[in-house]
Amino acid sequence: MAITKEKPDGGWRAWRVVVASFMISFIQDGVLYSFGVFLPSLTTHFKVGRATATVILSIMTFMTQGSGPLASFLLNILGHRGTTLVGALLSTIGLSASGLIIWCGVQDIMVFYFLTGALTGIGFGFMYLPAMTIIDHWFSSNMGLATGIAAAGSGVGQFVLSPLIEWLIEHFGLTWSFLIMGLIVS
């Protein structure tokens, strides 16, 4: 005899989960898909071409999507909140350390590949999976609407963070832009 738990399918707690998932998509996808705004400054700092600098974004995207099996494994052990917190911690460390290595004058882009590409990318993957799968625990008949709202954070994040990143680079420079993005992710 199987015991089934009824999904709330609404209520303030369920919609609060949707808002939290929206914000995770906003931050994670907003930073990931607005990363191109950093490229001109990165090519100047590292004295490399756009193709070489773009590898950072390629690694970050690959690690975000490729970390799914590991994120799923962690999800089974730590739960949604724990996996998301691990992801936020890794992403914060990756972005903040990237700002610090720029401040220190490190010119080796390979370090950036690891910190921003791999570490931040894995962190984003650990944030993404729980944010999308938690909706299923709270909704049945309104699941499409709830998932759509949560996923809409991605586009809104890109819309808001692209001009913000550009403004930060213009007014505070590359180092502080990465440190502030690390603070936003945290």
Side-chain angles (χ1 to χ4, degrees), residues 11-142:
W12 72 272
R13 290 185 71 205
W15 289 106
R16 188 180 68 178
V17 168
V18 172
V19 170
S21 292
F22 175 93
M23 290 308 299
I24 290 170
S25 293
F26 177 95
I27 292 167
Q28 178 259 321
D29 281 343
V31 172
L32 179 65
Y33 297 121
S34 298
F35 195 79
V37 178
F38 284 111
L39 289 178
S41 298
L42 290 172
T43 58
T44 302
H45 174 78
F46 289 112
K47 297 174 182 62
V48 296
R50 282 184 72 84
T52 304
T54 304
V55 172
I56 300 164
L57 178 59
S58 300
I59 293 170
M60 190 186 317
T61 303
F62 174 76
M63 296 307 283
T64 299
Q65 303 303 320
S67 64
L70 184 55
S72 177
F73 176 75
L74 280 180
L75 196 59
N76 290 330
I77 295 170
L78 302 175
H80 288 85
R81 184 177 296 157
T83 304
T84 301
L85 289 174
V86 169
L89 178 66
L90 291 175
S91 299
T92 299
I93 291 170
L95 290 168
S96 299
S98 297
L100 292 175
I101 67 161
I102 291 170
W103 179 72
C104 290
V106 174
Q107 295 293 313
D108 186 7
I109 199 165
M110 294 300 286
V111 176
F112 220 78
Y113 288 166
F114 172 74
L115 290 174
T116 307
L119 192 60
T120 302
I122 290 171
F124 283 166
F126 288 179
M127 293 166 63
Y128 175 78
L129 185 66
M132 292 299 115
T133 60
I134 191 72
I135 304 296
D136 182 54
H137 294 268
W138 291 90
F139 291 92
S140 54
S141 64
N142 288 322

